[in-house]
Amino acid sequence: MRSALLKHGVRATAAAALVLATSLGGPAVADTAEHGDPQGQAGLGLRAPRPVDVRITASGIESPESAQAGLVSFRVRTDDPNGHFLQAFRPHPGVTVDQVLADLAKAVSHQPVPTAEGISAVRDEAELFGGAQVTPSVSETFTAPITAGELVLLDFGAFLADPAHPVTRTLQLQGHRTSGNPTDFADSLVIERDTADGPRFDVHGLDRAADSILVHNSSSELHEMAVQPVAPGTTDAQIQAVFDRTAPGPLPFTGRPVGLGVLSPGRSALLETRNLPPGTYVLLCFVPDDKTGLPHAVKGMHKVVVLT
C-alpha cells in the first residue's frame, strides 16, 4: 500500500513539474497533436518496444545505423573495466557537429574563463538528451523523446581523456510515434533546479536501487546526474567539505559513478539502472557553471541518498 501511494505521489509531482516547465518555456507538450512525438515531454513514460542497443568498448561505439524516432530508449552497456559515459546530442539548425565538439573541448579545459564560455556555447548550440554512465557490472537504459533526424552519440569519457580525437557514432532517427503519459513508469523523480544558493537536486521518492528515475532539468543551465557510491553514513556536509578541500581523512567515494548524462534546460529523461547494488550514493553534477566555470557539484549540487 505504501509503495502504491508513494508512486502515485511521485507521478503527481512529476506531472506538475513537467506542466510547470512547459508553462515557463520548456519543450511544449501541446505539439504532440501536430507532430506525433515532438522534442517535448509528452510520452516519456512509455517504453519503446525495441530499445536501441548501444555497446561501448575501448575501440568505439556499436549501435544500429537507424531507429524509430519519438520516444527513444537507449540500452547501454560496456565490457571495458574503465567504464564509459555515453552522451546523446543534436546540433541546432545551422550548427555543425564539429563546432559543438570544439566548444565542448573548451568546456572541459579546466580553465575558468574558457570553460564557462565553452559550456555556454554548447548550451546554445545543441540539444542534449541525456546519456548513460555504465560499467561492466552496471548497465543502464535512458529514454527521451526525440524527433526524426540525425542524432550524435558521443563517448564522453573518451572525450574527457582526449578531446582532440572524439569518438562518435551517428544514429538516424526516422518517422514518429504518438506517445502517452510521461510518468507511467517513474518510481521516483529528481528535478535539477535553480535556487538562491545555486543549482540543486530536488529528490522525490528515490529510495531503491532498482527505481526508474524521471530526471527533469527545470533550470537555465545544462545538468547531469552522476550516481556515485560513498561510504555508509556519508553526509552532504562531508561531500561539500571534499569539494572545499577541508575534509579530513580518506575520501568517502567507494567506486566508479554511473547515472544519467547531460540534459538541456527544460528536458527530461527516464533512467533505469540494472544491477546497481543497494547502498549509500551521492547524486552529483560536474557540468561547469556557465559564469564561473566551476563544476556545479563544487557549488553544492550534490545529494546523498540511501538505496535499498
Side-chain angles (χ1 to χ4, degrees):
M1 177 65 74
R2 177 185 177 275
S3 177
L5 290 174
L6 177 60
K7 181 173 287 191
H8 177 76
V10 167
R11 290 176 179 173
T13 304
L18 298 185
V19 169
L20 177 60
T22 300
S23 71
L24 295 177
V29 175
D31 287 349
T32 52
E34 181 179 354
H35 298 292
D37 190 12
Q39 293 179 356
Q41 314 303 325
L44 194 57
L46 293 182
R47 295 178 190 243
R50 293 184 180 179
V52 179
D53 279 308
V54 181
R55 182 170 176 263
I56 316 175
T57 70
S59 58
I61 301 171
E62 300 173 6
S63 75
E65 295 182 354
S66 63
Q68 175 70 51
L71 192 73
V72 189
S73 290
F74 299 88
R75 188 162 53 195
V76 186
R77 59 192 175 91
T78 186
D79 58 5
D80 189 332
N82 294 318
H84 280 274
F85 183 164
L86 183 78
Q87 177 65 49
F89 73 91
R90 173 181 289 164
H92 289 160
V95 180
T96 66
V97 173
D98 286 344
Q99 182 60 56
V100 175
L101 293 175
D103 285 317
L104 189 59
K106 290 175 62 177
V108 300
S109 68
H110 302 297
Q111 303 175 47
V113 173
T115 293
E117 292 176 348
I119 201 65
S120 296
V122 172
R123 178 198 61 207
D124 296 338
E125 292 170 344
E127 207 66 24
L128 286 81
F129 300 98
Q133 300 185 55
V134 294
T135 68
S137 60
V138 178
S139 62
E140 293 180 343
T141 299
F142 72 98
T143 302
I146 313 174
T147 53
E150 286 191 349
L151 185 73
V152 181
L153 303 179
L154 170 69
D155 184 340
F156 187 65
F159 186 84
L160 286 171
D162 186 6
H165 300 91
V167 177
T168 64
R169 180 159 176 89
T170 300
L171 182 67
Q172 186 68 40
L173 298 181
Q174 303 171 339
H176 66 270
R177 177 182 292 118
T178 301
S179 304
N181 192 322
T183 59
D184 279 349
F185 296 100
D187 299 310
S188 55
L189 169 68
V190 175
I191 302 174
E192 300 163 332
R193 63 187 181 93
D194 295 325
T195 75
D197 296 321
R200 294 291 186 269
F201 292 109
D202 190 0
V203 179
H204 300 265
L206 179 56
D207 55 12
R208 298 184 307 156
D211 273 359
S212 298
I213 311 169
L214 180 66
V215 183
H216 176 65
N217 183 359
S218 71
S219 84
S220 59
E221 297 189 65
L222 300 173
H223 290 299
E224 66 176 348
M225 189 188 75
V227 181
Q228 187 158 5
V230 292
T234 298
T235 66
D236 277 291
Q238 291 171 325
I239 296 296
Q240 190 60 50
V242 170
F243 295 129
D244 292 340
R245 299 183 179 181
T246 60
L251 296 179
F253 308 109
T254 59
R256 291 184 178 276
V258 293
L260 185 71
V262 182
L263 288 172
S264 288
R267 292 215 162 268
S268 301
L270 187 71
L271 176 68
E272 299 170 278
T273 304
R274 299 286 182 269
N275 302 319
L276 184 69
T280 304
Y281 293 84
V282 60
L283 310 183
L284 296 161
C285 177
F286 287 110
V287 175
D289 181 79
D290 62 7
K291 295 180 179 62
T292 66
L294 290 174
H296 289 144
V298 174
K299 300 183 67 177
M301 195 171 183
H302 48 78
K303 181 67 175 177
V304 174
V305 294
V306 178
L307 306 180
T308 59

